Coordinates of all heavy atoms in Angstrom, one line a residue:
M1 N -19.9 -0.8 -1.1 CA -19.1 -2.0 -1.5 C -18.9 -3.0 -0.3 O -18.6 -2.4 0.7 CB -17.8 -1.5 -2.1 CG -16.9 -2.7 -2.7 SD -15.4 -2.0 -3.3 CE -15.9 -1.1 -4.7
N2 N -19.3 -4.2 -0.5 CA -19.1 -5.1 0.6 C -17.6 -5.5 0.8 O -16.8 -5.2 -0.1 CB -19.9 -6.3 0.6 CG -19.5 -7.2 -0.6 OD1 -18.5 -7.3 -1.0 ND2 -20.6 -7.9 -1.1
H3 N -17.3 -6.2 1.8 CA -15.8 -6.5 2.2 C -15.3 -7.3 1.2 O -14.1 -7.1 0.8 CB -15.9 -7.1 3.7 CG -14.5 -7.5 4.1 ND1 -13.6 -6.6 4.4 CD2 -13.8 -8.7 4.1 CE1 -12.4 -7.2 4.7 NE2 -12.6 -8.5 4.6
E4 N -16.0 -8.3 0.7 CA -15.3 -9.2 -0.3 C -15.0 -8.4 -1.6 O -14.0 -8.6 -2.2 CB -16.3 -10.4 -0.7 CG -16.4 -11.5 0.4 CD -17.3 -11.0 1.6 OE1 -18.1 -10.1 1.5 OE2 -16.9 -11.6 2.7
N5 N -15.9 -7.6 -2.1 CA -15.7 -6.8 -3.3 C -14.5 -5.8 -3.1 O -13.7 -5.6 -4.0 CB -16.9 -6.1 -3.7 CG -18.0 -7.0 -4.3 OD1 -17.7 -8.1 -4.6 ND2 -19.2 -6.5 -4.3
W6 N -14.5 -5.3 -1.9 CA -13.4 -4.4 -1.6 C -12.1 -5.1 -1.7 O -11.1 -4.7 -2.4 CB -13.6 -3.8 -0.2 CG -12.5 -2.9 0.2 CD1 -11.5 -3.3 1.1 CD2 -12.2 -1.5 -0.1 NE1 -10.6 -2.2 1.4 CE2 -11.0 -1.1 0.5 CE3 -12.8 -0.6 -0.9 CZ2 -10.5 0.2 0.4 CZ3 -12.4 0.7 -1.0 CH2 -11.2 1.0 -0.3
E7 N -11.9 -6.3 -1.1 CA -10.7 -7.1 -1.0 C -10.4 -7.6 -2.5 O -9.2 -7.7 -2.8 CB -10.8 -8.2 0.0 CG -11.0 -7.9 1.4 CD -9.7 -7.5 2.0 OE1 -8.7 -8.3 1.8 OE2 -9.6 -6.6 2.8
A8 N -11.4 -7.9 -3.2 CA -11.2 -8.5 -4.5 C -10.5 -7.5 -5.5 O -9.9 -7.9 -6.5 CB -12.5 -8.9 -5.2
R9 N -10.6 -6.2 -5.2 CA -9.9 -5.2 -6.1 C -8.4 -5.4 -6.0 O -7.7 -5.0 -7.0 CB -10.3 -3.8 -5.6 CG -11.7 -3.5 -5.8 CD -12.1 -2.1 -5.5 NE -11.8 -1.1 -6.5 CZ -12.1 0.1 -6.4 NH1 -12.7 0.6 -5.3 NH2 -11.9 0.9 -7.4
C10 N -7.8 -5.9 -5.0 CA -6.4 -6.0 -4.9 C -5.9 -7.1 -5.7 O -6.4 -8.3 -5.8 CB -6.1 -6.4 -3.3 SG -4.3 -6.6 -3.1
Q11 N -4.8 -6.9 -6.5 CA -4.2 -7.8 -7.4 C -3.1 -8.5 -6.8 O -2.4 -9.4 -7.4 CB -3.7 -7.0 -8.6 CG -4.8 -6.4 -9.4 CD -4.3 -5.6 -10.6 OE1 -3.2 -4.9 -10.7 NE2 -5.2 -5.4 -11.6
R12 N -2.9 -8.4 -5.5 CA -1.9 -9.1 -4.7 C -0.4 -9.0 -5.3 O 0.3 -9.9 -5.4 CB -2.3 -10.6 -4.7 CG -3.7 -10.9 -4.3 CD -4.0 -10.6 -2.9 NE -5.3 -11.3 -2.5 CZ -6.4 -10.6 -2.4 NH1 -6.5 -9.4 -2.8 NH2 -7.5 -11.3 -2.0
C13 N -0.1 -7.7 -5.7 CA 1.2 -7.5 -6.3 C 2.2 -7.3 -5.3 O 3.4 -7.4 -5.5 CB 1.1 -6.4 -7.3 SG 0.8 -4.7 -6.5
G14 N 1.7 -6.8 -4.1 CA 2.7 -6.6 -2.9 C 3.4 -5.2 -3.0 O 4.2 -5.0 -2.1
R15 N 3.2 -4.4 -4.1 CA 4.0 -3.3 -4.2 C 3.8 -2.3 -3.1 O 4.7 -1.5 -2.8 CB 3.8 -2.6 -5.5 CG 4.4 -3.4 -6.7 CD 4.0 -2.7 -8.0 NE 2.7 -2.6 -8.3 CZ 2.1 -1.8 -9.0 NH1 2.7 -0.8 -9.6 NH2 0.7 -1.8 -9.2
C16 N 2.6 -2.3 -2.5 CA 2.3 -1.2 -1.4 C 3.0 -1.7 -0.1 O 2.9 -0.9 0.8 CB 0.8 -1.0 -1.3 SG -0.1 -2.5 -0.9
C17 N 3.5 -2.8 -0.1 CA 4.2 -3.3 1.1 C 5.6 -3.1 1.3 O 6.4 -3.8 2.0 CB 3.8 -4.8 1.4 SG 2.1 -5.1 1.5
Y18 N 6.1 -2.1 0.6 CA 7.4 -1.6 0.7 C 7.4 -0.4 1.5 O 6.6 0.5 1.5 CB 8.2 -1.3 -0.6 CG 8.6 -2.6 -1.3 CD1 7.6 -3.5 -1.8 CD2 9.9 -3.0 -1.4 CE1 8.0 -4.8 -2.3 CE2 10.3 -4.2 -2.0 CZ 9.3 -5.1 -2.5 OH 9.7 -6.3 -3.1
E19 N 8.6 -0.2 2.3 CA 8.6 1.0 3.2 C 8.6 2.2 2.4 O 9.1 2.4 1.3 CB 9.9 0.9 4.1 CG 9.7 -0.2 5.1 CD 10.8 -0.2 6.2 OE1 11.7 0.8 6.1 OE2 10.8 -1.1 7.0
K20 N 8.0 3.3 3.0 CA 7.8 4.6 2.3 C 8.2 5.6 3.2 O 8.2 5.5 4.5 CB 6.3 4.8 2.0 CG 5.7 3.6 1.2 CD 4.2 3.7 1.3 CE 3.5 2.4 1.1 NZ 3.9 1.3 1.9
I21 N 8.6 6.8 2.7 CA 8.9 8.0 3.4 C 7.8 9.1 2.9 O 7.8 9.2 1.7 CB 10.3 8.3 3.1 CG1 11.3 7.3 3.6 CG2 10.7 9.7 3.7 CD1 12.7 7.5 3.0
E22 N 7.4 9.9 3.8 CA 6.5 10.8 3.5 C 7.4 12.2 3.8 O 7.8 12.4 4.9 CB 5.2 10.9 4.3 CG 4.0 11.7 3.7 CD 2.7 11.3 4.3 OE1 2.7 10.4 5.3 OE2 1.7 11.8 3.8
Y23 N 7.4 13.0 2.7 CA 8.3 14.2 2.9 C 7.6 15.4 2.2 O 7.2 15.2 1.0 CB 9.7 14.0 2.3 CG 10.5 15.3 2.3 CD1 11.1 15.6 3.5 CD2 10.9 15.9 1.2 CE1 11.8 16.8 3.6 CE2 11.7 17.1 1.2 CZ 12.1 17.5 2.5 OH 12.9 18.6 2.5
E24 N 7.2 16.4 2.9 CA 6.5 17.6 2.3 C 5.4 17.2 1.5 O 5.2 17.6 0.4 CB 7.6 18.4 1.5 CG 8.7 19.0 2.4 CD 9.6 20.1 1.7 OE1 9.5 20.1 0.5 OE2 10.3 20.7 2.3
G25 N 4.5 16.3 2.1 CA 3.2 15.9 1.4 C 3.3 15.0 0.3 O 2.4 14.7 -0.3
R26 N 4.6 14.4 0.1 CA 4.7 13.4 -1.0 C 5.3 12.2 -0.5 O 6.0 12.2 0.4 CB 5.7 14.0 -2.0 CG 5.9 13.2 -3.2 CD 5.6 14.0 -4.5 NE 5.0 13.1 -5.4 CZ 4.9 13.5 -6.8 NH1 5.2 14.7 -7.1 NH2 4.4 12.7 -7.6
V27 N 4.7 11.0 -1.1 CA 5.2 9.8 -0.6 C 6.3 9.2 -1.5 O 6.1 9.2 -2.7 CB 4.0 8.8 -0.5 CG1 4.5 7.4 -0.1 CG2 3.0 9.3 0.5
Y28 N 7.3 8.7 -0.9 CA 8.4 8.1 -1.6 C 8.6 6.7 -1.3 O 8.5 6.4 -0.1 CB 9.8 8.8 -1.4 CG 9.7 10.2 -1.9 CD1 9.2 11.2 -1.1 CD2 10.3 10.6 -3.1 CE1 9.2 12.6 -1.6 CE2 10.2 11.9 -3.6 CZ 9.6 12.9 -2.7 OH 9.7 14.2 -3.2
Y29 N 8.7 5.8 -2.3 CA 8.8 4.4 -2.0 C 10.3 4.0 -1.9 O 11.2 4.5 -2.6 CB 8.2 3.4 -3.1 CG 6.9 3.1 -3.0 CD1 5.8 4.0 -3.0 CD2 6.5 1.7 -2.7 CE1 4.5 3.7 -2.8 CE2 5.2 1.4 -2.5 CZ 4.3 2.3 -2.6 OH 2.9 1.9 -2.4
T30 N 10.7 3.3 -0.8 CA 12.1 2.7 -0.8 C 12.1 1.3 -1.4 O 11.0 0.8 -1.8 CB 12.5 2.6 0.7 OG1 11.9 1.5 1.3 CG2 12.3 3.8 1.4
D31 N 13.2 0.6 -1.5 CA 13.4 -0.8 -2.1 C 13.3 -1.8 -0.9 O 13.7 -2.9 -1.1 CB 14.6 -0.9 -2.9 CG 15.9 -0.6 -2.2 OD1 15.8 -0.2 -1.0 OD2 16.9 -0.6 -2.9
K32 N 12.9 -1.3 0.3 CA 12.9 -2.1 1.6 C 11.5 -2.7 1.7 O 10.6 -2.0 2.1 CB 13.4 -1.5 2.7 CG 13.6 -2.4 3.9 CD 14.3 -1.7 5.1 CE 14.4 -2.7 6.2 NZ 14.6 -2.0 7.5
P33 N 11.4 -4.1 1.5 CA 10.0 -4.7 1.8 C 9.8 -4.7 3.3 O 10.7 -4.8 4.1 CB 10.1 -6.1 1.2 CG 11.6 -6.4 1.2 CD 12.4 -5.1 1.1
C34 N 8.4 -4.7 3.6 CA 8.0 -5.0 5.0 C 8.4 -6.4 5.4 O 8.5 -7.4 4.5 CB 6.5 -5.0 5.1 SG 5.7 -5.4 6.7
D35 N 8.9 -6.6 6.6 CA 9.3 -7.9 7.0 C 8.2 -8.9 7.1 O 8.6 -10.1 7.3 CB 10.2 -7.8 8.4 CG 9.3 -7.4 9.5 OD1 8.1 -7.0 9.3 OD2 9.9 -7.3 10.6
K36 N 7.1 -8.6 7.0 CA 5.9 -9.5 6.9 C 5.5 -9.8 5.5 O 4.6 -10.7 5.3 CB 4.7 -8.9 7.6 CG 5.0 -8.4 9.0 CD 5.4 -9.5 9.9 CE 5.6 -9.0 11.3 NZ 6.4 -10.0 12.1
L37 N 6.1 -9.3 4.5 CA 5.8 -9.6 3.1 C 6.6 -10.9 2.7 O 7.8 -10.9 2.7 CB 6.1 -8.4 2.2 CG 5.8 -8.6 0.8 CD1 4.4 -8.7 0.5 CD2 6.4 -7.4 0.0
D38 N 5.9 -11.8 2.1 CA 6.6 -13.0 1.5 C 6.9 -12.5 0.1 O 6.1 -12.3 -0.7 CB 5.6 -14.2 1.5 CG 6.2 -15.5 0.9 OD1 7.0 -15.4 -0.1 OD2 5.8 -16.5 1.3
L39 N 8.2 -12.5 -0.1 CA 8.7 -12.0 -1.4 C 8.5 -12.9 -2.6 O 8.5 -12.5 -3.8 CB 10.2 -11.6 -1.4 CG 10.6 -10.5 -0.3 CD1 12.1 -10.4 -0.3 CD2 9.8 -9.2 -0.7
K40 N 8.2 -14.2 -2.3 CA 7.9 -15.1 -3.4 C 6.4 -15.1 -3.9 O 6.2 -15.1 -5.1 CB 8.2 -16.5 -3.0 CG 9.8 -16.8 -2.9 CD 10.0 -18.3 -2.7 CE 11.6 -18.5 -2.5 NZ 11.9 -19.5 -1.6
T41 N 5.6 -15.0 -2.9 CA 4.2 -14.9 -3.3 C 3.7 -13.4 -3.3 O 2.5 -13.3 -3.9 CB 3.3 -15.6 -2.2 OG1 3.5 -15.0 -0.9 CG2 3.7 -17.2 -2.0
C42 N 4.4 -12.6 -2.8 CA 3.9 -11.1 -2.7 C 2.8 -11.0 -1.9 O 2.0 -10.1 -1.9 CB 3.6 -10.6 -4.1 SG 5.1 -10.5 -5.2
L43 N 2.6 -11.9 -0.9 CA 1.4 -11.9 0.0 C 1.9 -11.5 1.5 O 3.0 -11.9 1.9 CB 0.7 -13.1 0.0 CG 0.0 -13.5 -1.3 CD1 -0.7 -15.0 -1.1 CD2 -1.1 -12.6 -1.7
C44 N 1.0 -10.9 2.2 CA 1.3 -10.6 3.6 C 1.3 -12.0 4.4 O 0.3 -12.7 4.2 CB 0.3 -9.6 4.1 SG 0.5 -9.3 5.9
T45 N 2.2 -12.2 5.3 CA 2.3 -13.4 6.1 C 1.4 -13.4 7.3 O 1.2 -14.4 8.0 CB 3.7 -13.9 6.4 OG1 4.3 -12.8 7.1 CG2 4.5 -14.2 5.1
V46 N 0.9 -12.2 7.6 CA 0.1 -12.1 8.8 C -1.1 -11.2 8.5 O -1.7 -10.5 9.4 CB 0.9 -11.2 9.9 CG1 2.1 -12.1 10.4 CG2 1.4 -9.9 9.4
Y47 N -1.7 -11.4 7.3 CA -2.8 -10.5 6.9 C -3.9 -10.3 7.8 O -4.2 -9.2 8.1 CB -3.2 -11.0 5.4 CG -4.1 -9.9 4.9 CD1 -3.6 -8.8 4.3 CD2 -5.6 -10.1 4.8 CE1 -4.5 -7.8 3.7 CE2 -6.3 -9.1 4.3 CZ -5.8 -8.1 3.7 OH -6.6 -7.1 3.2
E48 N -4.4 -11.4 8.3 CA -5.6 -11.3 9.1 C -5.3 -10.5 10.5 O -6.2 -9.9 11.1 CB -6.2 -12.6 9.5 CG -6.9 -13.3 8.2 CD -7.9 -12.5 7.5 OE1 -8.6 -11.9 8.2 OE2 -8.0 -12.7 6.3
D49 N -4.1 -10.6 10.8 CA -3.7 -10.0 12.1 C -2.7 -8.8 12.0 O -2.0 -8.5 12.8 CB -3.1 -11.1 13.0 CG -3.4 -10.8 14.5 OD1 -4.2 -10.0 14.9 OD2 -2.5 -11.4 15.3
R50 N -2.6 -8.3 10.7 CA -1.6 -7.4 10.4 C -1.5 -6.1 11.2 O -0.4 -5.6 11.5 CB -1.6 -7.1 8.9 CG -2.8 -6.2 8.6 CD -3.0 -6.3 7.0 NE -4.1 -5.5 6.4 CZ -5.4 -6.0 6.6 NH1 -5.7 -7.1 7.1 NH2 -6.4 -5.2 6.0
L51 N -2.6 -5.6 11.6 CA -2.6 -4.3 12.3 C -2.1 -4.5 13.8 O -1.5 -3.6 14.4 CB -4.0 -3.7 12.3 CG -4.5 -3.4 10.9 CD1 -5.9 -2.8 11.0 CD2 -3.5 -2.6 10.0
R52 N -2.2 -5.7 14.2 CA -1.6 -5.9 15.7 C -0.1 -6.3 15.5 O 0.8 -5.9 16.2 CB -2.3 -7.1 16.3 CG -2.0 -7.3 17.8 CD -2.8 -8.3 18.4 NE -2.6 -9.6 17.9 CZ -1.6 -10.4 18.2 NH1 -0.7 -10.0 19.1 NH2 -1.4 -11.6 17.6
E53 N 0.2 -7.3 14.4 CA 1.6 -7.7 14.3 C 2.5 -6.5 13.7 O 3.7 -6.7 14.0 CB 1.5 -8.8 13.3 CG 0.8 -10.1 13.7 CD 1.8 -11.0 14.4 OE1 3.1 -10.8 14.4 OE2 1.4 -11.9 15.1
K54 N 2.0 -5.7 13.0 CA 2.7 -4.7 12.4 C 2.0 -3.3 12.5 O 1.3 -2.8 11.6 CB 2.9 -4.9 10.9 CG 4.0 -4.1 10.2 CD 5.4 -4.6 10.5 CE 6.4 -3.8 9.8 NZ 7.8 -4.2 10.3
P55 N 2.1 -2.7 13.7 CA 1.4 -1.5 13.9 C 1.6 -0.3 12.9 O 0.7 0.4 12.7 CB 1.8 -1.1 15.3 CG 2.3 -2.2 15.9 CD 2.9 -3.0 14.8
E56 N 2.6 -0.4 12.1 CA 2.9 0.6 11.1 C 2.1 0.5 9.9 O 2.0 1.2 9.0 CB 4.3 0.7 10.8 CG 5.3 0.9 11.9 CD 5.9 -0.5 12.4 OE1 5.1 -1.3 12.9 OE2 7.1 -0.7 12.2
C57 N 1.5 -0.8 9.7 CA 0.8 -1.1 8.5 C -0.4 -0.2 8.6 O -1.1 -0.1 9.5 CB 0.4 -2.7 8.6 SG -0.5 -3.1 7.0
I58 N -0.7 0.4 7.4 CA -1.8 1.4 7.2 C -2.9 0.6 6.6 O -2.9 0.2 5.5 CB -1.3 2.5 6.3 CG1 -0.1 3.2 6.9 CG2 -2.5 3.5 6.1 CD1 0.5 4.2 6.0
P59 N -4.1 0.6 7.3 CA -5.2 -0.1 6.8 C -5.7 0.6 5.6 O -5.8 2.0 5.6 CB -6.3 -0.1 7.9 CG -5.8 1.0 8.9 CD -4.3 1.2 8.7
L60 N -6.2 0.0 4.6 CA -6.7 0.7 3.4 C -8.2 0.9 3.5 O -9.0 -0.1 3.5 CB -6.4 -0.3 2.1 CG -5.0 -0.1 1.6 CD1 -5.1 -0.9 0.2 CD2 -4.5 1.2 1.4
D61 N -8.6 2.1 3.6 CA -10.0 2.4 3.6 C -10.2 3.7 2.7 O -9.2 4.2 2.2 CB -10.6 2.6 4.9 CG -9.8 3.6 5.7 OD1 -9.3 4.6 5.1 OD2 -9.8 3.5 7.0
K62 N -11.4 4.1 2.5 CA -11.6 5.2 1.6 C -10.9 6.5 2.0 O -10.6 7.2 1.2 CB -13.1 5.5 1.6 CG -13.8 4.3 0.8 CD -15.2 4.7 0.3 CE -15.7 3.7 -0.6 NZ -16.9 3.0 -0.2
D63 N -10.7 6.7 3.4 CA -10.0 7.9 3.8 C -8.6 7.8 3.5 O -8.0 8.9 3.2 CB -10.1 8.0 5.4 CG -11.6 8.3 5.7 OD1 -12.3 8.8 4.9 OD2 -12.0 8.0 6.8
T64 N -7.9 6.7 3.5 CA -6.4 6.6 3.2 C -6.0 6.6 1.8 O -4.9 6.9 1.5 CB -5.8 5.4 4.0 OG1 -6.5 4.2 3.6 CG2 -5.9 5.5 5.5
L65 N -7.0 6.3 1.0 CA -6.6 6.2 -0.4 C -6.2 7.6 -1.0 O -5.3 7.6 -1.9 CB -7.9 5.8 -1.2 CG -8.4 4.4 -1.1 CD1 -9.5 4.1 -2.0 CD2 -7.3 3.4 -1.0
Q66 N -6.6 8.6 -0.5 CA -6.2 10.0 -1.0 C -4.8 10.3 -0.5 O -4.2 11.4 -1.0 CB -7.2 11.0 -0.5 CG -8.6 10.8 -1.0 CD -8.7 11.3 -2.5 OE1 -7.8 11.8 -3.1 NE2 -9.9 11.0 -3.0
R67 N -4.1 9.6 0.3 CA -2.8 10.0 0.9 C -1.6 9.8 -0.1 O -0.6 10.1 0.3 CB -2.6 9.3 2.2 CG -3.4 9.9 3.3 CD -3.2 9.1 4.6 NE -1.8 9.1 5.0 CZ -1.4 8.4 6.0 NH1 -2.2 7.5 6.7 NH2 -0.1 8.5 6.4
G68 N -1.9 9.2 -1.2 CA -0.7 8.9 -2.2 C 0.1 7.8 -1.7 O 1.2 7.8 -2.0
I69 N -0.5 6.9 -1.0 CA 0.4 5.8 -0.4 C 0.5 4.6 -1.6 O 1.5 4.0 -1.6 CB -0.3 5.2 0.8 CG1 -0.1 6.3 1.9 CG2 0.4 3.9 1.2 CD1 -0.9 6.0 3.1
L70 N -0.6 4.4 -2.3 CA -0.6 3.3 -3.3 C 0.0 3.7 -4.6 O -0.2 4.8 -5.0 CB -2.0 2.8 -3.4 CG -2.7 2.3 -2.2 CD1 -4.2 2.0 -2.4 CD2 -1.9 1.0 -1.8
P71 N 0.6 2.8 -5.4 CA 1.0 3.0 -6.7 C -0.2 3.5 -7.5 O -1.2 3.1 -7.4 CB 1.4 1.6 -7.2 CG 1.7 0.8 -6.1 CD 0.8 1.3 -4.9
G72 N 0.2 4.4 -8.5 CA -0.8 5.1 -9.3 C -1.7 4.2 -10.1 O -2.8 4.5 -10.4
D73 N -1.2 2.9 -10.4 CA -2.0 2.1 -11.3 C -2.6 1.0 -10.4 O -3.3 0.0 -10.9 CB -1.1 1.4 -12.4 CG 0.0 0.6 -11.9 OD1 0.3 0.7 -10.7 OD2 0.7 -0.1 -12.6
C74 N -2.6 1.1 -9.1 CA -3.3 0.1 -8.2 C -4.8 0.4 -8.4 O -5.3 1.5 -8.6 CB -2.9 0.4 -6.7 SG -4.0 -0.4 -5.6
P75 N -5.6 -0.6 -8.5 CA -7.0 -0.6 -8.7 C -7.8 0.3 -7.8 O -8.9 0.8 -8.1 CB -7.5 -2.0 -8.7 CG -6.3 -2.9 -9.1 CD -5.1 -2.1 -8.5
Y76 N -7.2 0.4 -6.5 CA -7.9 1.2 -5.6 C -7.9 2.7 -5.9 O -8.8 3.4 -5.4 CB -7.4 0.9 -4.2 CG -7.6 -0.4 -3.6 CD1 -6.8 -1.5 -3.6 CD2 -8.9 -0.7 -2.9 CE1 -7.1 -2.7 -3.2 CE2 -9.2 -1.8 -2.5 CZ -8.3 -2.9 -2.5 OH -8.6 -4.1 -2.0
V77 N -6.9 3.1 -6.6 CA -6.7 4.6 -6.8 C -6.7 4.9 -8.2 O -6.6 6.1 -8.6 CB -5.4 5.0 -6.1 CG1 -5.5 4.9 -4.6 CG2 -4.1 4.4 -6.6
A78 N -6.6 4.0 -9.2 CA -6.5 4.3 -10.6 C -7.6 5.2 -11.1 O -7.3 6.0 -12.1 CB -6.5 3.0 -11.3
D79 N -8.6 5.3 -10.5 CA -9.7 6.2 -11.1 C -9.9 7.4 -10.2 O -10.9 8.1 -10.4 CB -11.1 5.4 -11.1 CG -11.5 4.8 -9.7 OD1 -10.8 4.9 -8.8 OD2 -12.6 4.3 -9.7
I80 N -9.0 7.8 -9.3 CA -9.1 8.9 -8.6 C -8.4 10.1 -9.4 O -7.2 10.0 -9.8 CB -8.3 8.8 -7.2 CG1 -9.0 7.7 -6.3 CG2 -8.3 10.2 -6.5 CD1 -8.3 7.5 -5.0
P81 N -9.1 11.1 -9.7 CA -8.6 12.2 -10.5 C -7.5 12.9 -9.7 O -7.6 13.1 -8.5 CB -9.8 13.2 -10.7 CG -11.0 12.4 -10.4 CD -10.6 11.3 -9.4
D82 N -6.5 13.3 -10.5 CA -5.4 14.0 -9.9 C -4.7 13.3 -8.7 O -4.3 14.0 -7.7 CB -5.8 15.5 -9.5 CG -6.4 16.3 -10.6 OD1 -5.8 16.1 -11.7 OD2 -7.3 17.0 -10.4
Y83 N -4.7 12.0 -8.7 CA -4.2 11.2 -7.6 C -2.6 11.6 -7.5 O -1.9 11.6 -8.5 CB -4.3 9.8 -8.0 CG -3.7 8.9 -6.9 CD1 -4.2 8.8 -5.6 CD2 -2.5 8.1 -7.1 CE1 -3.7 8.0 -4.6 CE2 -1.9 7.3 -6.2 CZ -2.4 7.3 -4.9 OH -1.9 6.5 -3.9
N84 N -2.1 11.7 -6.3 CA -0.8 12.1 -6.0 C 0.1 10.9 -6.0 O 0.3 10.3 -4.9 CB -0.8 12.9 -4.6 CG 0.4 13.6 -4.4 OD1 1.2 13.9 -5.3 ND2 0.7 14.0 -3.2
T85 N 0.5 10.5 -7.1 CA 1.2 9.1 -7.3 C 2.5 9.2 -6.4 O 3.4 10.2 -6.5 CB 1.5 8.8 -8.7 OG1 0.3 8.9 -9.4 CG2 2.2 7.5 -8.9
P86 N 2.9 8.2 -5.7 CA 4.2 8.1 -5.0 C 5.3 8.0 -6.0 O 5.1 7.4 -7.1 CB 4.0 7.0 -4.0 CG 2.9 6.2 -4.5 CD 2.0 7.1 -5.4
Q87 N 6.5 8.4 -5.5 CA 7.7 8.3 -6.4 C 8.6 7.2 -5.8 O 8.6 7.0 -4.6 CB 8.4 9.7 -6.3 CG 7.6 10.8 -6.9 CD 7.4 10.7 -8.4 OE1 8.3 10.6 -9.2 NE2 6.1 10.6 -8.7
L88 N 9.4 6.6 -6.7 CA 10.5 5.8 -6.2 C 11.7 6.7 -5.8 O 11.9 7.7 -6.6 CB 10.9 4.8 -7.3 CG 10.0 3.7 -7.7 CD1 10.5 3.0 -8.9 CD2 9.6 2.8 -6.6
I89 N 12.4 6.4 -4.9 CA 13.4 7.3 -4.3 C 14.5 7.5 -5.5 O 14.9 8.6 -5.7 CB 14.1 6.8 -3.1 CG1 13.2 7.1 -1.9 CG2 15.5 7.3 -2.8 CD1 13.7 6.8 -0.6
E90 N 14.8 6.4 -6.3 CA 15.7 6.6 -7.4 C 15.3 7.4 -8.5 O 16.1 7.8 -9.3 CB 16.3 5.2 -7.8 CG 15.2 4.3 -8.5 CD 14.7 3.3 -7.5 OE1 14.8 3.6 -6.2 OE2 14.3 2.2 -7.9
D91 N 13.9 7.7 -8.5 CA 13.4 8.6 -9.6 C 13.9 10.0 -9.3 O 13.9 10.9 -10.2 CB 11.9 8.7 -9.5 CG 11.4 7.3 -10.1 OD1 12.1 6.6 -10.8 OD2 10.1 7.1 -10.0
E92 N 14.3 10.4 -8.1 CA 14.5 11.8 -7.8 C 16.1 12.1 -8.1 O 16.8 11.3 -7.9 CB 14.1 12.1 -6.4 CG 12.6 11.9 -6.1 CD 11.8 13.0 -7.0 OE1 12.1 14.1 -6.8 OE2 11.0 12.5 -7.7
Ligands
LIG1 S1 -0.6 -2.0 -4.8 FE1 -2.7 -2.3 -4.8 S2 -3.1 -4.2 -6.0 FE2 -0.9 -4.2 -5.2 S3 -1.0 -5.3 -3.3 FE3 -1.2 -3.1 -2.8 S4 -3.5 -2.7 -2.7 FE4 -3.1 -4.7 -3.8
LIG2 S1 2.0 -6.1 7.5 FE1 1.1 -4.6 6.1 S2 2.8 -3.7 5.0 FE2 3.6 -5.6 6.0 S3 3.2 -7.2 4.4 FE3 1.4 -7.1 5.7 S4 -0.1 -5.8 4.6 FE4 2.0 -5.4 3.8

């Protein structure tokens, strides 16, 4: 898959840009957005330079998809069998 097709899968919902906690192999979403996320457009304000501007930002590649970081209905992971869907903290 080329770069454009890979990027085109993103629906620009911004949900993966909220802070997360990883505990005992499971990812939990908090309600705190990344300070680089524009809450009106749901877009990253530093996208092209995000890995330098925000070192904690996790690049999405085939290796990171399996970590359970993205919401279960995100197009990047929706077709992964037995995907380890992250939880919202208030779900617990
Ligand atoms: S959750 Fe998926 S579709 Fe939404 S912004 Fe993140 S990568 Fe894109
Ligand atoms: S820096 Fe990363 S986590 Fe923060 S808004 Fe941009 S893409 Fe999302």
Side-chain angles (χ1 to χ4, degrees):
M1 183 180 294
N2 66 30
H3 181 71
E4 284 75 25
N5 287 345
W6 175 263
E7 294 280 320
R9 294 179 84 175
C10 179
Q11 295 176 331
R12 314 291 194 260
C13 68
R15 286 180 297 153
C16 59
C17 296
Y18 281 69
E19 291 191 3
K20 307 162 204 57
I21 297 165
E22 199 162 8
Y23 178 69
E24 294 187 345
R26 183 123 213 195
V27 174
Y28 296 83
Y29 268 70
T30 74
D31 59 0
K32 185 175 178 197
C34 172
D35 62 359
K36 306 299 183 195
L37 181 67
D38 182 324
L39 296 177
K40 288 189 180 143
T41 63
C42 297
L43 296 176
C44 176
T45 55
V46 294
Y47 190 71
E48 295 301 330
D49 210 16
R50 65 195 182 284
L51 301 181
R52 190 176 66 79
E53 293 273 347
K54 192 78 180 177
E56 310 95 293
C57 183
I58 301 169
L60 281 190
D61 56 30
K62 289 194 168 124
D63 292 333
T64 55
L65 295 187
Q66 297 284 353
R67 286 179 57 192
I69 294 169
L70 297 172
D73 59 349
C74 167
Y76 288 98
V77 297
D79 58 353
I80 296 178
D82 302 321
Y83 179 69
N84 197 15
T85 304
Q87 302 292 302
L88 294 175
I89 281 187
E90 59 262 30
D91 286 348
E92 296 296 305

